[in-house]
Amino acid sequence: QGWYGVVSFTNNGGFAGIVPWEKIEWQDGSSTYMGSGKGWRDTAPFAPASYGSDAYGLENVPIDWIQCADGEESNGETCVPCPPGTRGEGGSCKACGSGKYNSLEGS
């Protein structure tokens, strides 16, 4: 079900302006509470936004999608260069084709 039932929609009051956050129970048994606040929040790449000082478990929020440039792939936290012997395309590293070799990292 992914995020269905976890997040509310955005309106002029901001994200989670209509439906208050509730405790999220993850499949691994950990939990997250985004906080009792509402509205827009500044956040950094790969980090969830905190909606109040009562938020907890933000480190448990899974990273849904990391879009990497050609020549890179995700290690689950950030984009890293493709190793030699591979080529990066569409955000993932693939082995070079038969009879070809790439000696450069990040190609």
Side-chain angles (χ1 to χ4, degrees):
Q1 291 196 22
W3 290 101
Y4 182 80
V6 173
V7 297
S8 64
F9 58 89
T10 302
N11 66 8
N12 62 358
F15 191 64
I18 299 297
V19 179
W21 289 109
E22 294 182 10
K23 180 179 172 183
I24 303 166
E25 295 284 342
W26 302 106
Q27 290 179 340
D28 66 1
S30 63
S31 61
T32 298
Y33 178 61
M34 298 297 207
S36 58
K38 63 180 182 177
W40 295 104
R41 296 290 189 267
D42 290 331
T43 188
F46 314 116
S50 171
Y51 284 84
S53 60
D54 55 345
Y56 62 83
L58 298 178
E59 69 279 0
N60 301 326
V61 177
I63 298 172
D64 285 326
W65 180 260
I66 301 173
Q67 185 173 357
C68 299
D70 286 348
E72 299 178 332
E73 69 179 350
S74 169
N75 67 3
E77 294 181 15
T78 189
C79 295
V80 295
C82 291
T86 66
R87 61 183 170 81
E89 199 173 296
S92 65
C93 301
K94 299 172 178 71
C96 294
S98 179
K100 298 187 179 194
Y101 182 77
N102 174 22
S103 62
L104 301 175
E105 181 178 74
S107 297

